[in-house]
Amino acid sequence: MSFLAKPFLRRHPAFFPLCLLTLATMSALTVPARAQSSSSSSSSEAAPDATVSKEPTPTKAPPRIAQPEAGGSAITLETSEPLFYLAVALNTCGYDADLANSSPVRLKIRDEVNSEVAASEKARTSRDALCAYVREHTLNDASLNLAQYISLALYLSPPPSLTPTVDETDLPPDSTQVVNILPLLRNFADDIHLHAIWVQHRPEYEELTKLVHDPLTKMVLNTNIYLRLPVSSYDGRRFLVLLEPMLAPSATNARIYANDYIVAASPAGEPLGAVHMDDIRHIYLHYEIEPLVYSRATAMERLQPLLKGVQEAPLEYVYKTEIVPLITECLIKAVEAHTMDVGLTKPVRPAGIRERADLEHYDAEVSAYTHQAEANRRKAVDLSMRQGWVLTEYFYNKIGEMEKENVSLKDDMGEMVYGMDVDRERHHAQQIAFLPAGSRDVLRRAPQQLTGLQLAEEKIFKGDLSGASDIANKALADPNGDHAQAHYVLARVNLMQRQPGAAIDDFEEVLDSSKDPRTLAWSHIYLGRLYDIKDDRKKALAEYQAALTVRDAQPDTKAAAEKGIKEPFTAPKVAHEEPADKDDEPLDPSGKAEKDAYRPPPPH
């Protein structure tokens, strides 16, 4: 789907594009509400036997959360009525998180909803059904529990329809767990006249949006000035901040869908309108820096040995197995350290200095400030390193050189990547005493204990193919197990054990049962490579093309599929194994040379 047929975000006076008119001037534009036109389509998979032309057919763009204004800003601050509906539903059903620190409008709306419920037996009935559903679908992790409803809200049409604007298979995976709340939500909203409550409190929403707008614009401006990057109009990517006062102001919920970077935040009551701007800035840094890193994704392969140094770090699994996300996060941590509030008052040069002693005293104050500020920044760098972001110090030093040379991050990125002494940084990482799990910042969850098929993925990475097979077979024996992911594990184990026929059978099972875009895409890529090895180029091309039609936005997926279309895959030669415990060996946990050619980063 190119864009949504209907906007889920209505354009009110509270919609603000954040535009940079000059380096010194910030401006807010008001865009009136208007309809948006678009075309839609759904992603599909090409049959393995399909005829594929020599030139690849154009692929369909993944579903988007909203269609940006033509020629408008890529950076926007908005509110969403579907998100409001879901947030009210959660508040009605016991979501009281950080209620005391919320803006006053949250309490007002809760009271009005409670009054409507108390006055109507029909409303009480619909509330009870709604809340029973919410209770049944409550997750142990409070942040993940809220996230599934926010994900759903992003792909809903405006009330009263409140229907998904994409096929269910195109919804974010977490939102599909709660999509059946929608009929209950529509009934409840009708019974308590929720749209009227939304309209009544629009002025308060608009006022809160105005309070957030200027600090947000200043953050965007200052960040781009520091990185020496332009703030451009819409170019296919979008940074969207959604403001919803019915959520807890203590938490900032962020996610990245394809080219859409979304932050859902709630303004506090004291000071009124305050949001966690550091958290929003962290996601904005992802928005600006990720394209610079991913544009050199192929060059990152030489950095793969660095993953060996973070296996004991308190990081999420993806950062231990994928080098590009690890590098991105380390670079962002380094930027944040350089631009952090060091907690000191910078000396101000006195007016009318005439005595040399006065100037010397001021210079001494500046020197002391500079020394202490750098010490505070280095403490932040050290903390990031001990949390597992092992390249933070390297990038911090490089950014310091970048500042002195007055070049942009975009211009300096190549030198940062290609000039890195990988062996030195790997050995440095192995000397770090990592902190225990759960000691990281607000936007990062503590790494969970791997169980089930997640543990099987880790065993594959470490080369324990027998252990991975045992876990996958147990999952297949369980009627409630994730059979699709189990087959995906077994298929890759069969590849590494040189059993292509069994691997093909398992990958076909994955394609028949999985709904995870990344798993589907890489199953097609694997099948394409297997057919290439069997000299069946026609089937191989069909699989590579099918991989491109699956909704997986990761650059490595697209690169692998396009490479397969461009030229046939050839199996790597098996090299004689060297002792696996030598520190100078490249990272190859399985001890098999062909593994890296087959294995993609683990599915998300």
Side-chain angles (χ1 to χ4, degrees):
M1 174 179 245
S2 300
F3 295 110
L4 305 187
K6 292 183 179 180
F8 89 97
L9 298 164
R10 294 189 175 182
R11 308 289 183 178
H12 329 266
F15 161 81
F16 287 98
L18 304 178
C19 300
L20 180 61
L21 298 183
T22 67
L23 290 181
T25 306
M26 294 179 288
S27 171
L29 302 182
T30 301
V31 180
R34 64 179 181 85
Q36 299 175 8
S37 61
S38 69
S39 59
S40 64
S41 61
S42 60
S43 61
S44 61
E45 300 173 13
D49 296 328
T51 299
V52 180
S53 61
K54 293 183 179 179
E55 294 295 328
T57 57
T59 58
K60 298 171 183 176
R64 300 292 300 274
I65 58 168
Q67 178 175 345
E69 298 292 334
S73 176
I75 305 169
T76 54
L77 171 64
E78 308 184 18
T79 57
S80 162
E81 190 172 359
L83 179 56
F84 167 77
Y85 273 47
L86 281 165
V88 167
L90 293 176
N91 274 264
T92 303
C93 298
Y95 174 69
D96 298 330
D98 210 19
L99 189 60
N101 296 317
S102 296
S103 57
V105 69
R106 184 180 181 190
L107 290 173
K108 292 180 184 178
I109 292 173
R110 285 167 60 104
D111 288 343
E112 290 175 24
V113 169
N114 289 336
S115 297
E116 290 284 348
V117 169
S120 168
E121 182 178 351
K122 186 178 180 182
R124 290 193 293 275
T125 300
S126 60
R127 178 206 58 189
D128 292 345
L130 178 72
C131 293
Y133 183 94
V134 170
R135 286 193 300 271
E136 290 171 2
H137 292 79
T138 299
L139 303 178
N140 292 332
D141 187 315
S143 63
L144 293 180
N145 188 61
L146 177 62
Q148 61 186 343
Y149 292 102
I150 294 178
S151 293
L152 179 60
L154 296 175
Y155 288 89
L156 292 182
S157 61
S161 61
L162 280 179
T163 55
T165 52
V166 298
D167 292 337
E168 185 171 336
T169 55
D170 288 331
L171 286 170
D174 60 342
S175 69
T176 61
Q177 307 303 312
V178 292
V179 69
N180 290 329
I181 196 177
L182 295 178
L184 302 173
L185 179 61
R186 286 191 290 268
N187 290 339
F188 176 68
D190 287 343
D191 292 342
I192 67 167
H193 311 102
L194 190 53
H195 179 68
I197 295 175
W198 164 259
V199 172
Q200 178 184 346
H201 292 283
R202 284 301 310 151
E204 291 158 284
Y205 269 59
E206 292 168 11
E207 184 60 32
L208 289 170
T209 308
K210 290 177 183 177
L211 292 174
V212 174
H213 172 261
D214 284 354
L216 180 60
T217 306
K218 183 178 179 181
M219 179 276 290
V220 169
L221 175 68
N222 290 341
T223 300
N224 284 77
I225 289 176
Y226 179 77
L227 299 177
R228 295 176 176 83
L229 298 175
V231 180
S232 60
S233 59
Y234 177 71
D235 63 354
R237 299 188 312 117
R238 191 176 189 206
F239 181 76
L240 170 66
V241 178
L242 285 176
L243 211 63
E244 180 45 69
M246 298 301 292
L247 302 178
S250 58
T252 303
N253 194 287
R255 70 276 324 286
I256 300 171
Y257 296 143
N259 292 322
D260 296 317
Y261 293 67
I262 308 108
V263 182
S266 176
E270 183 62 41
L272 185 63
V275 294
H276 292 278
M277 194 60 69
D278 287 344
D279 295 345
I280 297 175
R281 183 173 185 259
H282 185 88
I283 304 305
Y284 184 69
L285 285 169
H286 273 275
Y287 172 78
E288 289 289 0
I289 290 175
E290 280 191 358
L292 304 181
V293 177
Y294 276 108
S295 67
R296 292 173 173 81
T298 55
M300 300 296 177
E301 292 181 8
R302 64 181 290 269
L303 309 183
Q304 197 79 4
L306 291 167
L307 293 176
K308 191 173 184 178
V310 298
Q311 295 308 301
E312 303 304 321
L315 298 178
E316 294 176 21
Y317 184 65
V318 64
Y319 297 111
K320 296 182 181 183
T321 55
E322 296 189 39
I323 191 62
V324 176
L326 177 66
I327 289 172
T328 302
E329 197 66 37
C330 291
L331 181 52
I332 288 173
K333 294 289 185 183
V335 172
E336 290 176 329
H338 267 288
T339 56
M340 64 181 283
D341 181 355
V342 294
L344 303 172
T345 302
K346 190 173 183 178
V348 178
R349 182 185 177 93
I353 292 182
R354 296 182 179 180
E355 299 294 332
R356 182 181 182 87
D358 292 336
L359 182 59
E360 290 176 348
H361 177 70
Y362 167 71
D363 289 342
E365 288 183 336
V366 170
S367 177
Y369 167 84
T370 303
H371 182 271
Q372 186 59 51
E374 178 63 13
N376 291 352
R377 294 189 185 100
R378 288 287 177 178
K379 288 180 181 178
V381 170
D382 180 67
L383 176 60
S384 294
M385 297 282 284
R386 296 186 65 200
Q387 290 171 336
W389 311 115
V390 296
L391 290 175
T392 304
E393 184 178 18
Y394 169 80
F395 285 125
Y396 181 85
N397 294 334
K398 284 294 182 180
I399 291 172
E401 296 173 9
M402 181 187 79
E403 289 180 355
K404 295 177 182 177
E405 296 171 1
N406 198 30
V407 297
S408 71
L409 181 61
K410 181 179 180 180
D411 294 334
D412 206 43
M413 181 62 70
E415 172 61 26
M416 288 185 181
V417 173
Y418 294 106
M420 184 187 300
D421 185 336
V422 178
D423 286 340
R424 179 184 180 278
E425 296 304 324
R426 177 169 61 87
H427 283 294
H428 182 35
Q430 291 174 327
Q431 308 306 314
I432 298 173
F434 294 118
L435 294 174
S439 58
R440 290 173 291 150
D441 62 26
V442 66
L443 285 183
R444 294 291 171 267
R445 296 189 301 274
Q448 59 185 4
Q449 183 68 35
L450 296 182
T451 58
L453 292 171
Q454 292 176 322
L455 185 58
E457 292 283 352
E458 184 176 56
K459 287 182 179 294
I460 287 180
F461 183 76
K462 292 183 176 180
D464 183 3
L465 303 185
S466 176
S469 295
D470 289 344
I471 294 174
N473 285 321
K474 288 179 181 178
L476 287 177
D478 182 357
N480 298 318
D482 187 346
H483 291 186
Q485 194 63 29
H487 279 295
Y488 189 61
V489 169
L490 291 174
R492 287 174 293 154
V493 169
N494 287 329
L495 279 179
M496 297 174 205
Q497 293 178 336
R498 295 183 169 274
Q499 299 178 29
I504 289 176
D505 291 342
D506 280 311
F507 281 128
E508 294 289 356
E509 290 286 347
V510 174
L511 296 180
D512 289 340
S513 56
S514 179
K515 293 185 178 181
D516 178 69
R518 189 162 179 80
T519 304
L520 289 170
W522 274 98
S523 294
H524 281 301
I525 292 170
Y526 282 144
L527 285 171
R529 291 174 175 178
L530 285 166
Y531 287 135
D532 267 335
I533 293 172
K534 296 175 66 175
D535 293 326
D536 193 339
R537 184 61 175 158
K538 181 178 177 180
K539 284 188 175 181
L541 284 171
E543 295 297 339
Y544 296 133
Q545 191 65 53
L548 290 174
T549 66
V550 175
R551 187 195 170 200
D552 174 45
Q554 296 299 321
D556 61 314
T557 305
K558 184 172 182 289
E562 289 179 344
K563 183 177 181 181
I565 291 173
K566 184 178 179 181
E567 60 184 14
F569 175 80
T570 56
K573 296 180 180 180
V574 179
H576 293 293
E577 290 186 352
E578 295 293 334
D581 58 351
K582 291 174 65 176
D583 284 342
D584 293 333
E585 289 292 327
L587 182 65
D588 186 13
S590 73
K592 296 182 181 293
E594 70 269 33
K595 181 177 179 182
D596 282 338
Y598 281 120
R599 187 197 71 224
H604 300 291

